[in-house]
Amino acid sequence: MMKPLISPSLLAADFANLQRDIDSINRSEADWLHLDVMDGVFVPNISFGFPVMKRIAELSRKPLDVHLMIVQPEKFMNEVKEMRAMTMNVHYEACIHHHRVIQQIKEAGMKAAITLNPSTPVAMLSDIIQDLDMVLLMSVNPGFGGQKFIPHTLTKVKELKDLIERMHSKALIEVDGGVNLETGRQLVHAGADVLVAGNAIFKAPDMTDMIHRLKNLKAEE
Ligand code: DX5
Ligand code: ZN
């Protein structure tokens, strides 16, 4: 069985010690670095923008998994490309022409992912799933770290896995929000490929060990 990919969310890092926290991630078993961009319009919070992420990109040795919680994310295609992001995640609810946006992300040389809010059904992706490199399922309402995991996400992971298999898609399933050792284990068993975790990692007494434990959830049983 494949181990899950781990994508620590930098939103929970100590912003006064970003370099120290990025260095810890660099030295860990984490696979990617998850960056949450919020615009105060699509979500009721503002995080950080491109000038900050440009510096983060220079320091990170992990591929960047950029999660845009902003309206009209396609407007920032070039900025995301220029920071050499591996993946550009756009919200289903923030786009109108999903097919066009996905093709543009791929033409820009990035992996394309669509993110679903907790209330958006997996079925909305049935006509685009073959074009996607990844689907990001939100397991909290986006905007803040440290929220409680919504258990219905486990059903959505299974539905999404069925859709992916039925349509012969290669899309990975990533889950974001309230992921810890307990919910992470449930997600991995439901079929999640990638776990995003903010507070569970950055507020752990030993970040490196927590990443190791999340990475090895499958082997534990
Ligand atoms: C929430 C963000 C998440 C957040 C997760 O809107 O998309 O990536 O940082 O934080 P935790 O893991 O603490 O729920
Ligand atoms: Zn996120």
Side-chain angles (χ1 to χ4, degrees), residues 81-92:
K81 180 191 172 169
E82 275 164 20
M83 56 185 275
R84 277 182 268 126
M86 171 192 62
T87 307
M88 178 161 161
N89 295 277
V90 297
H91 266 263
Y92 181 84

Side-chain angles (χ1 to χ4, degrees), residues 9-12 34 36 38 43 67 69 138 140-147 176-179 196-200:
S9 164
L10 201 68
L11 192 64
H34 184 86
D36 291 296
M38 304 178 185
V43 288
H67 177 195
M69 287 161 272
M138 289 310 300
V140 298
N141 287 295
F144 305 92
Q147 301 183 81
D176 182 7
V179 174
V196 176
N199 280 267

Side-chain angles (χ1 to χ4, degrees), residues 190-209:
D193 304 298
V194 190
L195 302 177
V196 176
N199 280 267
I201 290 175
F202 287 95
K203 304 287 189 278
D206 184 340
M207 250 166 79
T208 315
D209 179 60

